């Protein structure tokens, strides 16, 4: 069952001019950019891509036939019509069609009394274009600024296209969550088993689950026993034994047995629906990251327009110059202040930074993320699948009372053969590894719900499971208390064995930490971050693993739907928080966090919701991503400095401030050349970011 997105009450975002819609999903209303609907987002991205390529294709001849190409590079090109008329014909569609989004955005920004980058871009483009048109009409053959207008539009369109590609994950993540719910379910009505759409399940319906079935809604088991894999929803790798009275969660997968359960939560009431609601709420409430350049845009608009007006008034009224001379100085000042280098300052650093990240399998979804990752001062790491491998392995086999380790493994493997439980698989794998095959035949097999297994092997009664199972059958475990407690404190899952009421030993298994987990925690601490582990495990197990990996703070026994609350808890403490996870249960927390980091081997939902995706599932890549962000932000600031200092020095010269005293002036063609030079400086400085590569993984 997918949410219906109904478009109505079309409006526009006052900041950027994009259309807004009202969306309704799971009875949750929110006002969002239309690019939250994947269909509309795809159309918008295609439109932006088309605008860029048309601008780029038209800009090539514009540059060739501009004063830069004809006068400075001495290109000898055929001119069937006057060059300025040709430039007018080629530039007009760039300004008023491909670049119309900036003009429209400026209208809505000014209407909202805001000065942003759209206003600055539109000001520079229109000043260069309109003055060039004026010269074409009243003084044909004069040098013009058409190429400045065309290239500015082309550069900025490319940046917008790249941004749009990164924004499509929001609604796709929500749709992936819905895909966990099976389209159909088997229910018992009127004493008969029937198949109905999952959306038609009502409260108190009795739902049938067979091995391999997905759970359609939340409920309580009323008949049978089974093991259910809840990892897609809870993130925990070991399936949970379910018996009469236990809860089942929609989206989980039934593994071993057939059970019946009563539907207690349906539709928007289910845990999965609540997770979806949390993802949507967190994503819609998160303010978009502001680029450093945007912070200066308002001032640059004032400086650019103010410089042009001051130059015109000073020359026309103060110095008594002619109208054309005064206009030339005025427009030269406005155009040279136009954010050509400023428009490249951030995108070029971002392009290099994200390219380096991709080389190391670190995918950073947008420029705001790359910038804001450097601000992280607290980070929460989910345990299972992030810090650990996500599946248990046998770590210890301890034999007592003259039994051997091989005997323990052979006895337990004989009981577990045929089971799909990850712990059983780990024991069978260890048994094969140690050459303890073949297995022994068993008789009178019995599963003791929630506690373990009982059977006869070679005429002897063998018990395998919890300590309570052994104690209930009169087996004494106290002599080995110290060893059992030590294994439990280390965060390991224990299976105790007894043969004919004699304690034979214990097999311990654990979801082993990834190779770089401990190193990652230490490196994050060295970067000055508060590092926290979060898990649904019991506190004793969680503390053992946390201590082993070097964590000072652990959030344990956290329900799937509550992980986002713990992220917000740190945010309420005034911290800029990153969340690292891999399961669907991590999606709300990833969305709530200031920076969401998804492990690539995890679910598609976690990947789509995260701002950063670690494709190799190596936790140390978290450290590399933060280091890359810090280095990129340094380059952004350096680029912004060069772009700003260029404006500070060039605007007074272009406005003719030093013309009478020193004879300094900047003609339009020189201004265009300097604009290009400033862009080259900025781009070259950004490329130097590649030097940071050697330090990313050290």
């Amino acid at each position: 069952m997918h949410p219906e997105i109904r478009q109505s009450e079309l409006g526009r975002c006052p900041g950027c001019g994009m259309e807004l819609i009202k969306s309704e999903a799971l009875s949750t209303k929110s006002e969002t950019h239309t690019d939250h609907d994947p269909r509309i987002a795809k159309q918008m991205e295609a439109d932006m891509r088309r605008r860029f390529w048309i601008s780029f294709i038209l800009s090539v001849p514009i540059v060739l036939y501009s004063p830069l190409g004809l006068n400075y590079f001495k290109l000898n090109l055929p001119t069937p019509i006057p060059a300025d008329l040709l430039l007018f014909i080629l530039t007009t569609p760039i300004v008023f069609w491909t670049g119309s989004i900036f003009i429209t955005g400026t209208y809505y920004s000014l209407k909202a009394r805001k000065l942003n980058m759209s206003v600055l871009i539109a000001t520079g483009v229109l000043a260069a274009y309109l003055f060039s048109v004026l010269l074409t009409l009243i003084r044909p053959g004069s040098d013009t600024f058409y190429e400045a207008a065309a290239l500015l539009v082309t550069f900025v369109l490319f940046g917008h296209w790249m941004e749009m590609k990164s924004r499509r994950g929001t609604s796709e993540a929500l749709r992936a969550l819905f895909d966990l719910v099976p389209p159909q379910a088997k229910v018992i009505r009127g004493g008969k088993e029937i198949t109905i759409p999952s959306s038609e399940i009502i409260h108190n319906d009795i739902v049938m689950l067979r091995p391999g079935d997905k759970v359609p809604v939340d409920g309580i088991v009323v008949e049978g026993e089974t093991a259910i894999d809840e990892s897609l929803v809870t993130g925990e790798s070991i399936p949970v034994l379910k018996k009469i009275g236990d809860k089942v969660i929609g989206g989980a997968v039934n593994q071993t047995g057939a059970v019946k359960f009563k539907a207690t939560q349906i539709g928007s009431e289910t845990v999965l629906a609540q997770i979806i609601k949390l993802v949507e709420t967190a994503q819609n409430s998160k303010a978009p990251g502001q680029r450093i350049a945007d912070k200066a845009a308002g001032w640059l608009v004032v400086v650019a327009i103010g410089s042009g007006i001051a130059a015109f008034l000073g020359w026309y009224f103060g110095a008594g110059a002619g109208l054309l001379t005064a206009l030339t100085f005025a427009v030269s000042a406005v155009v040279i202040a136009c954010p050509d280098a400023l428009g490249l300052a951030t995108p070029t650093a971002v392009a290099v930074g994200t390219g380096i990240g991709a080389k190391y399998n670190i995918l950073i979804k947008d420029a705001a993320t790359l910038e804001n990752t450097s601000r992280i001062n607290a980070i929460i790491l989910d345990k299972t699948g992030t810090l650990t491998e996500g599946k248990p392995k046998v770590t210890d086999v301890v034999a007592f009372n003259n039994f051997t380790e091989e005997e323990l493994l052979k006895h337990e493997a004989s009981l577990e053969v045929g089971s799909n439980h990850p712990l059983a698989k780990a024991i069978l794998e260890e048994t094969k590894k140690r050459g303890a095959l073949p297995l022994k035949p068993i008789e009178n097999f019995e599963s003791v719900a929630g506690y373990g297994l009982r059977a006869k092997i070679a005429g002897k009664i063998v018990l395998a499971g919890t300590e309570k199972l052994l104690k209930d059958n009169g087996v004494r475990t106290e002599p080995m208390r110290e060893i059992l407690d030590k294994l439990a404190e280390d965060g390991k899952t224990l299976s105790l064995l007894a043969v004919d009421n004699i304690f034979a030993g214990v097999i311990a298994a654990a979801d082993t930490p990834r190779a770089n987990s401990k190193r990652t925690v230490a490196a994050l601490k060295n970067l000055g971050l508060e590092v926290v582990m979060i898990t649904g495990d019991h506190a004793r197990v969680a503390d053992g693993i946390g201590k082993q990996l070097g964590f000072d703070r652990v959030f344990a026994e956290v329900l799937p739907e509550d992980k986002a609350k713990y992220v917000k808890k740190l945010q309420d403490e005034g911290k800029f928080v990153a969340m690292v996870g891999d399961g669907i249960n991590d999606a709300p927390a990833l969305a709530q966090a200031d920076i969401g980091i998804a492990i690539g081997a995890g679910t598609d939902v976690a990947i789509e919701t995260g701002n950063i995706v670690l494709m190799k599932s190596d936790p140390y890549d978290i450290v590399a991503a933060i280091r890359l962000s810090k280095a990129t932000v340094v380059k952004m600031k350096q680029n912004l400095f060069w772009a700003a200092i260029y404006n500070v020095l060039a605007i007074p010269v272009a406005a003719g401030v030093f013309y009478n005293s020193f004879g300094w002036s900047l003609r339009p063609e020189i201004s265009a050349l300097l604009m290009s030079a400033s862009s080259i400086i900025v781009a070259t400085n950004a490329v130097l970011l590649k030097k940071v590569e050697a330090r990313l993984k050290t």
Side-chain angles (χ1 to χ4, degrees):
M1 180 175 65
H2 288 74
E4 293 294 329
I5 305 289
R6 290 187 285 277
Q7 298 181 42
S8 61
E9 303 181 45
L10 283 172
R12 289 185 180 270
C13 170
C16 65
M18 280 187 177
E19 288 184 329
L20 297 176
I21 61 170
K22 292 284 185 180
S23 69
E24 185 174 333
L26 291 175
S27 302
T28 301
K29 294 183 179 181
S30 60
E31 188 171 82
T32 67
H33 282 80
T34 54
D35 58 358
H36 285 182
D37 184 329
R39 295 164 297 180
I40 299 176
K42 192 172 182 179
Q43 294 171 6
M44 292 176 67
E45 183 186 331
D47 178 65
M48 191 64 66
R49 181 175 62 246
R50 182 168 54 249
R51 288 172 185 267
F52 163 72
W53 282 114
I54 291 174
S55 291
F56 178 80
I57 292 169
L58 291 176
S59 294
V60 172
I62 289 173
V63 172
L64 295 178
Y65 280 94
S66 69
L68 191 64
L70 297 177
N71 299 338
Y72 287 93
F73 294 109
K74 307 298 182 183
L75 297 179
N76 186 17
L77 301 173
T79 52
I81 59 176
D84 51 356
L85 182 58
L86 176 62
L87 295 177
F88 166 75
I89 294 172
L90 294 172
T91 307
T92 299
I94 293 179
V95 173
F96 293 107
W97 182 62
T98 62
S100 62
I101 55 174
F102 305 119
I103 298 173
T104 304
T106 296
Y107 168 76
Y108 287 105
S109 295
L110 294 178
K111 188 177 179 180
R113 298 182 180 181
K114 292 182 179 179
L115 296 177
N116 59 15
M117 189 63 81
S118 288
V119 178
L120 193 53
I121 293 167
T123 299
V125 170
L126 290 176
Y129 175 79
L130 294 176
F131 181 58
S132 299
V133 171
L134 179 64
L135 288 177
T136 301
L137 293 175
I138 66 175
R139 188 176 290 180
S142 299
D143 291 341
T144 58
F145 270 170
Y146 287 117
E147 75 281 0
L151 290 177
L152 182 56
V153 171
T154 303
F155 284 142
V156 180
L157 282 175
F158 180 75
H160 277 238
W161 173 28
M162 291 298 103
E163 281 185 74
M164 230 166 242
K165 290 186 69 166
S166 70
R167 283 202 297 252
R168 272 193 286 148
T170 301
S171 55
E172 291 176 0
L174 294 176
R175 289 183 181 275
L177 283 168
F178 273 100
D179 287 341
L180 286 179
V181 179
Q184 294 182 319
K186 297 178 179 66
V187 301
I188 297 175
R189 290 181 181 174
K192 295 181 179 180
E193 181 181 319
I194 61 174
T195 301
I196 64 172
S198 296
S199 58
E200 295 181 8
I201 295 175
I202 61 176
H203 288 104
N204 298 321
D205 261 342
I206 301 300
V207 184
M208 288 287 301
L209 278 184
R210 292 187 172 86
D213 287 348
K214 284 186 178 180
V215 182
V217 295
D218 295 357
I220 297 176
V221 176
V222 295
E223 182 180 318
E225 292 183 3
T226 188
I228 290 185
D229 181 1
E230 297 179 342
S231 61
L232 288 175
V233 180
T234 66
E236 301 306 323
S237 59
I238 298 178
V240 182
L241 178 68
K242 301 292 183 179
K243 57 186 184 300
I244 295 175
D246 289 341
K247 293 182 179 180
V248 293
I249 302 173
V253 180
N254 184 33
Q255 286 204 330
T256 57
V259 296
K260 296 178 183 178
F261 72 91
K262 181 172 66 175
T264 55
Q265 283 87 35
I266 62 174
S268 60
E269 302 167 349
T270 65
V271 170
L272 184 60
Q274 293 301 313
I275 290 175
I276 292 170
K277 182 180 178 181
L278 287 171
V279 173
E280 187 179 46
T281 301
Q283 288 178 328
N284 290 343
S285 64
K286 188 191 296 183
Q290 292 293 319
R291 287 177 175 73
I292 301 174
D294 287 337
K295 298 174 184 177
W299 289 106
L300 286 172
V301 172
V302 175
V303 170
I305 297 176
S307 299
I309 293 174
F312 176 81
L313 294 177
W315 281 101
Y316 189 71
F317 293 105
L323 179 63
L324 189 57
T325 300
L327 282 173
T328 300
F329 279 118
V331 176
S332 293
V334 172
V335 172
I336 207 164
C338 140
D340 207 11
L342 183 66
L344 284 174
T346 300
T348 49
V350 168
V352 176
T354 53
I356 293 172
K359 182 177 178 180
Y360 288 91
N361 296 299
I362 302 168
L363 303 185
I364 301 169
K365 290 193 172 181
D366 52 49
T369 296
L370 187 60
E371 176 185 342
N372 289 333
T373 299
S374 65
R375 299 171 53 199
I376 296 170
N377 50 31
I379 185 166
I380 301 177
L381 295 95
D382 181 61
K383 178 185 76 71
T384 305
T386 301
L387 294 166
T388 63
E389 296 290 347
K391 59 181 181 180
K393 294 180 180 178
V394 172
T395 57
D396 302 88
V397 180
V398 183
F400 305 134
N401 296 321
N402 298 320
F403 287 90
T404 66
E405 295 181 2
E406 286 70 22
E407 285 178 310
L408 290 183
L409 287 168
K410 183 172 289 193
H411 277 86
E412 175 123 7
S414 298
L415 294 175
E416 300 282 10
V417 67
S419 173
N420 288 322
H421 196 290
L423 184 57
K425 292 179 179 178
I427 291 170
L428 287 167
E429 183 179 334
E430 184 69 16
T431 304
K432 292 177 183 178
K433 181 179 175 182
R434 296 199 184 195
L437 299 176
L439 301 178
K440 297 183 178 182
I442 62 174
E443 300 176 75
N444 302 330
F445 177 82
E446 180 185 352
S447 174
V448 184
Y451 299 108
L453 307 171
R454 177 191 289 114
K456 271 190 176 183
I457 298 178
K460 297 180 179 180
I461 296 176
V462 178
L463 301 173
T466 65
E467 187 172 3
K468 188 176 188 304
L469 174 67
L470 270 63
K471 286 184 175 180
D472 288 349
N473 285 272
V475 180
R476 296 181 66 246
T477 59
E478 286 74 12
M480 306 302 170
R481 172 59 46 208
E482 184 177 344
I483 293 176
L484 296 178
D485 287 346
K486 176 64 170 62
L487 292 172
E489 287 172 4
D490 290 340
K492 297 174 181 178
T493 301
L494 308 184
S495 179
L496 284 67
L497 279 88
V499 179
D500 277 349
N501 289 344
I502 299 174
F503 189 21
V506 60
I507 298 175
D511 186 4
T512 55
R514 295 184 186 276
N516 273 334
S517 292
K518 188 172 183 178
R519 180 186 176 212
T520 298
V521 175
L524 291 172
K525 286 183 176 181
N526 288 336
L527 288 173
L529 277 62
E530 179 180 355
V531 189
V532 182
M533 187 181 82
I534 192 167
T535 179
D537 287 345
H538 291 297
R540 188 176 181 183
V541 174
D543 288 341
I545 296 173
K547 183 178 179 181
Q548 178 185 351
L549 296 179
F551 285 93
D552 297 324
R553 192 173 184 183
V554 175
F555 296 145
E557 300 180 21
V558 180
L559 297 174
E561 60 269 28
D562 290 339
K563 288 191 177 183
K565 295 179 183 178
Y566 283 85
V567 174
K568 192 170 189 306
K569 178 181 179 180
L570 289 186
Q571 290 173 326
D572 291 341
E573 294 174 8
K575 298 181 175 69
F576 195 83
V577 182
M579 169 71 194
V580 187
D582 76 317
I584 286 174
N585 66 303
D586 301 321
L590 291 171
Q592 175 65 44
D594 298 293
I595 300 293
I597 303 176
I599 291 290
T603 63
D604 291 339
V605 177
I607 293 172
E608 291 293 350
T609 310
N611 305 106
I612 297 174
V613 178
L614 309 179
M615 297 300 293
K616 291 194 301 183
S617 298
D618 181 356
Y620 200 75
D621 284 343
I622 302 166
V623 180
I626 295 173
R627 287 175 175 166
L628 178 61
S629 173
K630 290 179 179 294
T632 303
V633 168
V634 169
K635 286 299 176 186
M636 288 181 188
K637 292 179 178 179
Q638 290 175 348
N639 282 354
L640 289 170
F641 168 79
W642 287 113
I645 200 69
Y646 155 80
N647 282 320
V648 169
L649 297 176
I651 289 175
V653 178
V657 172
F658 305 107
Y659 183 72
N660 288 333
S661 301
F662 303 99
W664 296 351
S665 67
L666 289 176
R667 300 299 301 165
E669 58 271 17
I670 301 298
S671 297
L673 184 62
L674 287 176
M675 286 174 63
S676 300
S678 67
S679 299
I680 292 171
I681 291 172
V682 165
T684 302
N685 187 51
V687 171
L688 295 177
L689 180 61
K690 290 185 177 181
K691 290 184 177 180
V692 78
E693 285 188 48
R695 301 193 302 273
L696 286 184
K697 306 283 288 212
T698 57

